């Protein structure tokens, strides 16, 4: 692994920033990055924007495109997460690897789930809002489970 500076979902490092305050660390992935000599920069767009705990959200296909909507109240949270991602990558221009929590609507790289407006599953291979921004910027991006 040639990467030197890796942006990593904070929950993978053991921070209790998931929507329900649970811990979902991935020690194996973090050890792998450390062994490779990577500098780790953590991020959590959802905690920064909405606090913890918070209502979970889903990527939802709407007539206006893919949106991150809260599961029950259907609040559109796309823009705050996208703005956080843009600011994060602008402030950290030397990031050369993105490691996102698999299946997260913000951080999942190729594993985020997409639903239609009736709640039917359309795809399990989408990018979360922040992962999509990493990809647009040409940053190598991987789900933690595939590191
Ligand atoms: S998956 Fe991303 S948004 Fe969700 S808790 Fe982890 S770092 Fe935060």
């Amino acid at each position: 692994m040639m990467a030197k500076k890796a942006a990593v979902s904070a929950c993978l490092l053991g921070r209790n920033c998931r929507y329900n305050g649970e811990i979902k660390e991935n020690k194996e992935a973090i050890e792998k990055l450390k062994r490779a000599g990577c500098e780790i920069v953590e991020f959590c767009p959802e905690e920064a924007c909405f606090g913890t705990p918070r209502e979970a959200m889903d990527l939802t296909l709407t007539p206006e495109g893919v949106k991150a909507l809260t599961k029950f109240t259907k609040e559109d949270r796309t823009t705050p997460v996208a703005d956080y991602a843009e600011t994060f990558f602008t402030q950290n221009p030397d990031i050369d690897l993105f490691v996102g929590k698999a299946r997260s609507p913000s951080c999942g790289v190729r594993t985020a789930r997409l639903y239609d407006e009736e709640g039917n599953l359309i795809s399990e291979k989408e990018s979360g809002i922040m992962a999509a921004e990493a990809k647009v910027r040409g940053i190598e991006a991987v789900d933690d489970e595939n590191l």
Side-chain angles (χ1 to χ4, degrees), residues 36-123:
C38 287
E39 182 187 340
I40 292 173
V41 183
E42 64 181 73
F43 61 84
C44 179
E46 294 184 34
E47 175 161 86
C49 296
F50 316 115
T52 303
R54 57 188 172 274
E55 189 177 347
M57 63 187 202
D58 289 321
L59 292 180
T60 307
L61 186 60
T62 75
E64 292 81 43
V66 174
K67 304 270 184 201
L69 303 183
T70 52
K71 207 174 252 307
F72 303 108
T73 56
K74 304 299 176 192
E75 188 186 314
D76 184 356
R77 295 193 154 174
T78 316
T79 303
V81 176
D83 288 351
Y84 173 97
E86 203 177 327
T87 302
F88 176 86
F89 289 117
T90 301
Q91 288 175 349
N92 295 278
D94 49 352
I95 294 284
D96 48 15
L97 177 66
F98 177 93
V99 181
K101 169 79 181 73
R103 291 176 292 283
S104 158
S106 293
C107 302
V109 175
R110 288 179 192 83
T111 52
R113 298 187 182 109
L114 176 65
Y115 296 88
D116 66 17
E117 289 184 298
E118 280 73 52
N120 302 304
L121 184 65
I122 300 174
S123 164

Side-chain angles (χ1 to χ4, degrees), residues 1 6 8-9 12-13 24-38 40 97 99-101 142-147:
M1 189 187 296
V8 180
S9 293
L12 299 173
L13 291 147
K24 277 272 183 187
E25 65 182 328
N26 185 338
K27 285 183 184 161
E28 207 180 313
I30 301 306
E31 275 312 306
K32 216 171 191 175
L33 290 170
K34 286 183 177 165
R35 273 201 307 275
C38 287
I40 292 173
L97 177 66
V99 181
K101 169 79 181 73
V142 64
D143 287 291
D144 66 302
E145 294 175 354
N146 298 325
L147 189 66

